Amino acid sequence: GYGGRIAISFSSSNTYSGSISVNGGSGYYTGGDGTAFIEDTINSDITIPANNSTWSASDRSSWKFRDLTINGNVTFQPTSATLLTISSSRTTTIASGVTITLGGTYTTNSNGKGVRLDFTGNVTLPTTSTITANGKGYAGGSYRTSGSGPGAGGGVWQGGGGGYGGSGNTSGSGSGGGTYGSSTAPTDLGSGGGAGNNGGGAGGGAIRITTTGTLTVSGTITSIGASGGTSDCNYGGGGG
């Protein structure tokens, strides 16, 4: 089964020191994790204490915090083709071994948006931690159709690669997608690859991190386009 949801909110002090877990049940296919947070409602401090599933932009009225602490895996998902900005005004702490996944959203082939992390002060991404938007862009095409997005790869008998930060490769009858968006302030999503007999790969998402202090990246930050399916006809990968 799927993990549940835990919310601990306090306005004066928090004396709870036990463990918190919202892991999914085990089985042939493991259930998904739930969600959990601990929040100081007076100061707008929030802690993600354990592995979480997806936090949607609509789950909270405000994503502005004073202190932000991330101690478990979590996905932040924007909605309605609107950029999701998560900010901290004092401190940001990311634990070791954590994966932060930043999703993407779009309603047309040109209005895709990702997630911005807007921090105050010094922030460190530990060696074993990751911020990723791999495959979180526009969808790839299905069975000889083009992918989605401004730089979509074409799809006929073969699928071309999707574009974004770089142009996608042309594959036979499938044209490659072109470049677009900003290299210094990325908010667009990578375009999907075109499809041959099998589906094209989704594009990579958009990651923008700003901080008033020093950002120390000892871990990994990735926004990679997904690979297309395998078949006897070529397929396009998504744009990174």
Side-chain angles (χ1 to χ4, degrees):
Y2 204 93
R5 297 180 185 268
I6 298 174
I8 299 175
S9 300
F10 62 94
S11 58
S12 56
S13 64
N14 174 30
T15 60
Y16 180 77
S17 60
S19 62
I20 294 176
S21 176
V22 287
N23 293 341
S26 60
Y28 189 78
Y29 294 106
T30 302
D33 294 332
T35 58
F37 68 89
I38 302 170
E39 182 174 15
D40 178 345
T41 58
I42 298 298
N43 296 307
S44 296
D45 298 340
I46 194 164
T47 297
I48 296 174
N51 289 347
N52 273 238
S53 181
T54 300
W55 282 97
S56 171
S58 59
D59 287 338
R60 296 185 58 87
S61 59
S62 174
W63 290 92
K64 296 180 179 180
F65 308 110
R66 187 184 68 168
D67 295 341
L68 171 62
T69 303
I70 301 177
N71 290 333
N73 300 339
V74 64
T75 297
F76 296 115
Q77 179 61 48
T79 58
S80 304
T82 301
L83 178 71
L84 172 59
T85 299
I86 300 168
S87 62
S88 62
S89 62
R90 192 172 72 170
T91 66
T92 302
T93 304
I94 302 172
S96 297
V98 165
T99 297
I100 302 170
T101 302
L102 306 181
T105 175
Y106 61 94
T107 57
T108 72
N109 274 340
S110 60
N111 67 354
K113 291 291 183 288
V115 178
R116 176 177 175 176
L117 303 178
D118 189 8
F119 299 141
T120 299
N122 299 334
V123 180
T124 297
L125 183 67
T127 303
T128 55
S129 294
T130 299
I131 298 175
T132 178
N134 292 353
K136 297 300 182 182
Y138 290 97
S142 60
Y143 190 68
R144 301 180 183 175
T145 62
S146 298
S148 301
V156 189
W157 290 96
Q158 295 89 23
Y164 180 24
S167 297
N169 287 328
T170 295
S171 177
S173 57
S175 59
T179 61
Y180 57 95
S182 171
S183 60
T184 57
T187 58
D188 296 294
L189 305 177
S191 292
N197 283 351
N198 284 62
I207 300 174
R208 185 179 180 188
I209 304 172
T210 60
T211 180
T212 61
T214 300
L215 175 64
T216 303
V217 179
S218 300
T220 304
I221 301 176
T222 61
S223 180
I224 300 171
S227 299
T230 57
S231 72
D232 55 346
C233 290
N234 296 331
Y235 50 87

